[in-house]
Amino acid sequence: MARKSKRKSNQVIEKIASVMSLFILIAAWWFGGIQISDRQFTMLESLIEENQQLVKIEENLFQIIEGEEIKSWLGIGTGIGYGGELNIALKLDNKGTVQQASILSIKDTSSYVNKVIENGLVNKILGETSRKQIQADGISGATLSSNGILQGVNEAAEPVRQQLFNYQLKEQTSPLDTVGFLDLLAVVMFFLAVFISRSGSIHKVKIQWTLMIASLGIFGFYSASLISSSTMGILISGSWRSGLGNYTAFVLLVLSLGYILLFNKNLYCQMLCPMGITQQCLSKLTNSKTISLKHKAFQWFPRFLLLATLACGLYFRNPSAFSYEPFGIMFGMVGSLYLFILTLLVLITSLLVHRPWCKTLCPITAMTDYIVFLKDWYKQATKPNKKKKRMATGNKQPAAAQSISVKIEEA
């Protein structure tokens, strides 16, 4: 009896937490939208001197006025980085020469952005003329981020170019321009995982390991396209609609969510996640123990961590800035010192315990638990209504059946 009461109490707590989580995410999105435009305008004003004024000419074009003289121009452009849309402010003189560039907003992981800045990509474009396409060598290891910044720079130069030289160089682009072969391969490999999970073949284990090793190479070391908290943030914020530099992780997330909703099974973690596969390979070397972490702290801590990460990402409109996964270090050697230490701990622990990251800090586990809980809650909420309908249907006997029962009683 006490155990049943405790279970009901836990369910109430989980229901309250799930509803509060939704309200927190909605509030983060709402309040973040209020302050984002003010923050960007403050950043624009930091590009001008004290005795200068910023005069808006059109949507993405400003004049910098000193007295009554036009001193320079300021253009704003958007590009598509790894995490989605980014905004660049470009300051040019009256001859169309780049004087200054500033990243107003970017949704890429901070470690990749820092690599771009440290390698001086922004400084390389200073002194370039806007009469032609502004070009610079991309940064190895952060190609999508550097390409997105250069795209934003050229788009920011476009309205200034039209004002000064009366011509344009901008090409029409689509958010789907970056969809490529790797994204199609992600779809194929996911459906292969579905086929393997439902297969009864005697070679099922061997086929599964073949797919896992292929996923480790393709989604891990080749493209570093892993589902992370930033991928979830991109999905719920809707920033994917403006385009992504790489859709692969997003495609895998959407397919995984659909399969979880239909079958309560997470195939991505089981067969396609490079992080999980790496841990499983290390576990195979030492035959590490499979342990079950039953304490509630191991369930609730990753949930709170994911909620805080998503809420901060929504508020600042930058899901990637708050991601905490060590994927960059693991598969690209890009990241901070604390991520390097975390990666090292995960690798060492994997020799002793089966999939330690998956059981402690993985955001996908928290996401799966949340979706399955909401789905079960919905089923429980609709179940009484279904029972009532069945009972009502059962009580409505056909007229012939009623007359027969009456005759039997009379006899």
Side-chain angles (χ1 to χ4, degrees):
M1 194 73 180
R3 189 180 296 176
K4 189 175 181 181
S5 176
K6 188 177 180 181
R7 195 192 318 163
K8 282 187 176 180
S9 177
N10 289 335
Q11 286 180 348
V12 170
I13 292 171
E14 288 192 350
K15 287 177 181 179
I16 293 170
S18 65
V19 173
M20 285 182 63
S21 298
L22 286 175
F23 279 114
I24 289 169
L25 294 177
I26 292 168
W29 173 259
W30 175 265
F31 289 111
I34 293 172
Q35 56 80 40
I36 191 167
S37 57
D38 294 335
R39 189 170 71 241
Q40 284 199 355
F41 192 77
T42 302
M43 293 179 71
L44 288 177
E45 286 188 324
S46 68
L47 298 174
I48 63 176
E49 298 174 8
E50 290 184 8
N51 58 340
Q52 294 178 339
Q53 288 184 328
L54 201 60
V55 178
K56 188 172 183 178
I57 305 301
E58 55 186 65
E59 182 63 29
N60 293 318
L61 180 64
F62 296 82
Q63 287 179 339
I64 299 175
I65 306 293
E66 187 174 334
E68 295 184 357
E69 183 185 358
I70 301 174
K71 297 296 290 184
S72 51
W73 299 79
L74 193 65
I76 299 175
T78 59
I80 304 298
Y82 182 86
E85 190 176 79
L86 55 87
N87 294 307
I88 304 291
L90 199 66
K91 185 179 178 181
L92 303 99
D93 63 19
N94 290 318
K95 294 181 181 179
T97 303
V98 178
Q99 294 180 320
Q100 196 173 350
S102 177
I103 301 173
L104 298 178
S105 67
I106 186 167
K107 297 182 176 70
D108 291 15
T109 307
S110 56
S111 54
Y112 290 97
V113 178
N114 292 336
K115 186 171 185 178
V116 169
I117 294 171
E118 288 167 5
N119 283 272
L121 177 65
V122 175
N123 294 330
K124 289 178 182 179
I125 66 173
L126 300 182
E128 292 287 323
T129 178
S130 62
R131 287 182 176 272
K132 57 182 179 62
Q133 286 285 336
I134 299 170
Q135 296 180 341
D137 293 333
I139 306 302
S140 179
T143 307
L144 294 174
S145 297
S146 52
N147 287 347
I149 290 171
L150 287 173
Q151 182 187 356
V153 164
N154 279 290
E155 189 163 311
E158 190 63 33
V160 180
R161 185 184 296 119
Q162 290 180 1
Q163 286 285 330
L164 296 178
F165 311 120
N166 199 29
Y167 67 88
Q168 62 180 24
L169 296 174
K170 180 182 175 182
E171 297 178 358
Q172 293 295 324
T173 58
S174 165
L176 298 178
D177 285 345
T178 53
V179 175
F181 174 74
L182 196 63
D183 308 315
L184 178 62
L185 188 60
V187 176
V188 172
M189 292 183 72
F190 186 87
F191 281 102
L192 274 175
V194 173
F195 173 77
I196 292 169
S197 70
R198 293 171 172 272
S199 171
S201 171
I202 57 172
H203 303 294
K204 181 177 179 176
V205 175
K206 291 180 181 179
I207 299 170
Q208 181 172 328
W209 268 102
T210 302
L211 179 64
M212 288 166 64
I213 297 302
S215 298
L216 178 62
I218 296 168
F219 303 135
F221 294 106
Y222 176 70
S223 64
S225 301
L226 293 86
I227 297 177
S228 64
S229 56
S230 65
T231 318
M232 300 174 202
I234 288 167
L235 175 64
I236 63 177
S237 68
S239 59
W240 51 273
R241 291 175 299 174
S242 59
L244 297 172
N246 186 333
Y247 279 93
T248 309
F250 182 81
V251 169
L252 289 170
L253 174 61
V254 172
L255 291 172
S256 299
L257 285 172
Y259 202 80
I260 291 168
L261 283 170
L262 290 172
F263 304 106
N264 283 8
K265 195 171 183 180
N266 190 339
L267 288 182
Y268 174 79
C269 290
Q270 186 181 346
M271 294 188 225
L272 298 173
C273 175
M275 187 72 172
I277 296 165
T278 301
Q279 294 172 85
Q280 195 156 336
C281 289
L282 291 172
S283 298
K284 279 284 183 183
L285 294 176
T286 57
N287 290 321
S288 61
K289 295 180 180 179
T290 302
I291 61 173
S292 178
L293 303 173
K294 295 181 180 180
H295 198 281
K296 288 291 181 182
F298 291 106
Q299 289 182 352
W300 286 101
F301 179 71
R303 294 174 185 178
F304 283 128
L305 187 61
L306 177 59
L307 177 61
T309 302
L310 292 176
C312 290
L314 288 172
Y315 181 81
F316 291 101
R317 296 297 192 269
N318 189 356
S320 300
F322 300 93
S323 60
Y324 55 90
E325 299 91 337
F327 302 153
I329 288 287
M330 181 79 79
F331 300 105
M333 292 307 292
V334 176
S336 60
L337 179 61
Y338 98 87
L339 286 177
F340 177 78
I341 294 170
L342 179 60
T343 305
L344 200 60
L345 284 172
V346 171
L347 293 176
I348 293 170
T349 314
S350 296
L351 295 169
L352 306 172
V353 179
H354 184 74
R355 293 201 177 206
W357 169 263
C358 305
K359 293 177 179 178
T360 54
L361 294 172
C362 178
I364 306 171
T365 304
M367 176 199 74
T368 305
D369 290 344
Y370 185 71
I371 293 170
V372 172
F373 175 77
L374 288 181
K375 182 182 174 183
D376 291 342
W377 187 8
Y378 174 77
K379 282 184 177 179
Q380 289 174 6
T382 55
K383 201 173 182 180
N385 295 331
K386 289 178 181 178
K387 280 185 178 179
K388 287 178 182 178
K389 286 181 180 178
R390 286 173 190 164
M391 289 175 66
T393 306
N395 291 333
K396 290 179 181 178
Q397 295 181 354
Q402 288 180 358
S403 63
I404 291 170
S405 62
V406 170
K407 286 179 182 178
I408 292 171
E409 286 175 6
E410 288 177 353

